[in-house]
Amino acid sequence: MVSKPVAPNDSAPDLVDFGIFQLSSLAINDDLRQDLKQLVASKPYPLLIIGEEGAGKHTLAKCLAASYLCHSVESDGSACGTCPSCRMISASGAHLDLVILDPGPSGRIKVDEVRSEVAARLFEAPRISHNKVFIISAEKADTLSEACQNALLKPLEEHPAFVRFIIFCEDSDRLLPTIRSRVQTLRPAHRNNKEIRQILDEAGIEDSPAKNFALDCSDGLPGVALTLAQDERYRQIYDESLRIFKAFPRENRTAFLTGGLDFFKANKDSTDMIIRLLQSFLRELSLGLLADKWEGLPAESAAFTDKELAEWAKLEIDYEALLGLLSETKRALSSNTGYDHTISRLLLQMRSKIAAGGTASDPRTRQ
Ligand SMILES: [Zn+2]
């Protein structure tokens, strides 16, 4: 296990795609760019990157790692792209002085891995770079258990000057206070529309309805935008989500719950997209109702006809509450709450909030 380079297959795909690994290539605002530049130049204090799913934590971690390993960093903190370290990383995503600890399919890092890959290798001198980088994922609630975190305390506290730690997580409250007190934190801000467009363009994504959806509904999160824009099932999921959404006021409770839950389960990988679609339908309705007409909205993006809009206008719907419910569901899912339970609860609550408007009078059975 000594100095084993990280084989690409051992890690999550987005951790090893070093094709773009220069800080200068990131579509980010000037504040974040400045922070990153300082991080590269500063003394080796362990870094914790905090951001929700899709915030670009992996990309930042790998760009920073490349900078730390680079033999001649540029003035803006970017890796040079041509030195032996940069060439090694760009060839395979692996580097002899880079250790990536990520949970793999099990979703959990083992405490033995922390001991063998981090604690035991901490004092080994770097092989080709002047630094040695450890990237550690604490992404989800149970990715990095308390025992793992405890095993990390000493390495974080006492390590050679050539060691750089990059830890990332969605929610720092899940980390032990003793870990949090040993790290400096970086919270990448949400990207603006222009930056998201640049990220999608650079990924070679052609204009499409999915790309427009990603631009409108990714909340400035690059990873989310990339996933949405490249989901080949976008059209199919859009159509089915819209059909289910339109059935909220009229389908009978049982048929609705069963059909809705089946749909979510069959498309579990695209749950985030479905929830974002439901949010976009709600926003579109509330905007349309405010404006009285669809004028001003591009026809291609209108999910509802004038007639449907008039029907929805009769329901007294609290759109803010529904949007809040969807956000709450996303948070619940990211903290590993039971999937079926969370989705059932969402469907029932949405239906009751929508049907409360008064027209649950047209129960019909699903085909
Ligand atoms: Zn370099």
Side-chain angles (χ1 to χ4, degrees):
M1 203 58 88
V2 176
S3 287
K4 183 189 73 160
V6 181
N9 290 340
D10 286 352
S11 304
D14 50 355
L15 270 179
V16 295
D17 175 15
F18 273 81
I20 300 169
F21 59 94
Q22 288 179 296
L23 292 173
S24 57
S25 73
L26 295 173
I28 51 176
N29 65 39
D30 290 343
D31 287 347
L32 181 55
R33 204 174 291 289
Q34 206 56 35
D35 286 348
L36 291 167
K37 180 183 166 184
Q38 281 175 5
L39 276 170
V40 175
S42 69
K43 59 179 186 170
Y45 207 65
L47 175 69
L48 175 66
I49 302 175
I50 307 168
E52 57 202 285
E53 189 166 356
K57 302 181 293 297
H58 302 75
T59 306
L60 279 179
K62 74 187 183 187
C63 288
L64 271 172
S67 291
Y68 287 146
L69 294 169
C70 176
H71 302 200
S72 54
V73 181
E74 294 178 3
S75 59
D76 65 357
S78 289
C80 73
T82 54
C83 72
S85 274
C86 286
R87 284 206 304 273
M88 180 175 275
I89 287 180
S90 58
S92 64
H95 189 289
L96 288 169
D97 299 318
L98 172 64
V99 176
I100 299 175
L101 214 57
D102 82 288
S106 73
R108 288 158 193 262
I109 290 172
K110 297 187 189 79
V111 68
D112 286 351
E113 291 174 305
V114 177
R115 295 198 182 106
S116 65
E117 296 298 309
V118 182
R121 301 177 60 186
L122 200 61
F123 291 87
E124 285 171 12
R127 296 292 191 85
I128 42 173
S129 175
H130 51 290
N131 286 326
K132 183 166 172 150
V133 181
F134 295 88
I135 296 181
I136 300 165
S137 168
E139 181 131 39
K140 301 287 177 190
D142 45 9
T143 305
L144 199 68
S145 66
E146 206 172 309
C148 287
Q149 293 181 46
N150 278 319
L152 263 183
L153 289 178
K154 195 152 189 296
L156 288 179
E157 186 79 19
E158 290 171 29
H159 52 259
F162 55 73
V163 166
R164 300 287 182 278
F165 281 105
I166 306 171
I167 306 171
F168 56 85
C169 70
E170 287 180 5
D171 182 357
S172 60
D173 287 346
R174 296 169 190 158
L175 295 176
L176 297 173
T178 40
I179 293 272
R180 278 180 290 167
S181 68
R182 284 167 166 80
V183 295
Q184 56 181 329
T185 57
L186 179 73
R187 294 174 190 268
H190 290 207
R191 313 295 206 277
N192 65 29
N193 205 274
K194 191 173 147 230
E195 289 157 355
I196 293 288
R197 180 175 285 283
Q198 186 188 333
I199 289 166
L200 297 179
D201 288 345
E202 281 171 1
I205 297 168
E206 304 277 330
D207 286 346
S208 69
K211 185 175 180 178
N212 290 336
F213 176 64
L215 282 167
D216 288 344
C217 298
S218 58
D219 294 334
L221 298 167
V224 171
L226 285 165
T227 305
L228 293 175
Q230 295 177 98
D231 195 322
E232 286 171 2
R233 293 170 305 164
Y234 170 75
R235 180 43 72 179
Q236 179 200 336
I237 288 174
Y238 173 93
D239 289 344
E240 186 64 4
S241 300
L242 185 59
R243 196 187 67 73
I244 284 181
F245 183 87
K246 287 180 178 177
F248 271 118
R250 54 168 197 270
E251 191 118 62
N252 87 50
R253 190 174 179 277
T254 311
F256 176 76
L257 180 59
T258 314
L261 186 58
D262 285 349
F263 167 63
F264 266 95
K265 280 160 77 176
N267 297 285
K268 198 167 175 178
D269 289 349
S270 300
T271 301
D272 182 62
M273 177 190 276
I274 300 171
I275 290 177
R276 284 172 196 278
L277 280 165
L278 296 177
Q279 285 174 321
S280 78
F281 300 149
L282 285 167
R283 276 193 221 106
E284 192 175 328
L285 274 177
S286 61
L287 275 177
L289 295 175
L290 276 179
D292 268 344
K293 290 181 183 173
W294 287 118
E295 281 170 26
L297 280 176
E300 64 189 272
S301 74
F304 303 88
T305 64
D306 285 353
K307 187 161 166 274
E308 286 167 336
L309 181 62
E311 283 169 15
W312 281 85
K314 290 181 202 152
L315 306 171
E316 287 174 18
I317 292 174
D318 183 345
Y319 286 97
E320 287 304 316
L322 283 167
L323 288 167
L325 187 60
L326 286 161
S327 302
E328 196 185 296
T329 302
K330 269 199 279 192
R331 277 195 298 275
L333 290 170
S334 83
S335 56
N336 286 350
T337 318
Y339 186 82
D340 290 11
H341 171 76
T342 307
I343 297 299
S344 302
R345 188 166 160 273
L346 168 72
L347 291 168
L348 288 174
Q349 290 197 343
M350 277 197 83
R351 185 180 178 281
S352 83
K353 283 186 196 302
I354 290 172
T359 54
S361 57
D362 178 23
R364 53 175 200 148
T365 318
R366 189 174 294 272
Q367 299 292 309

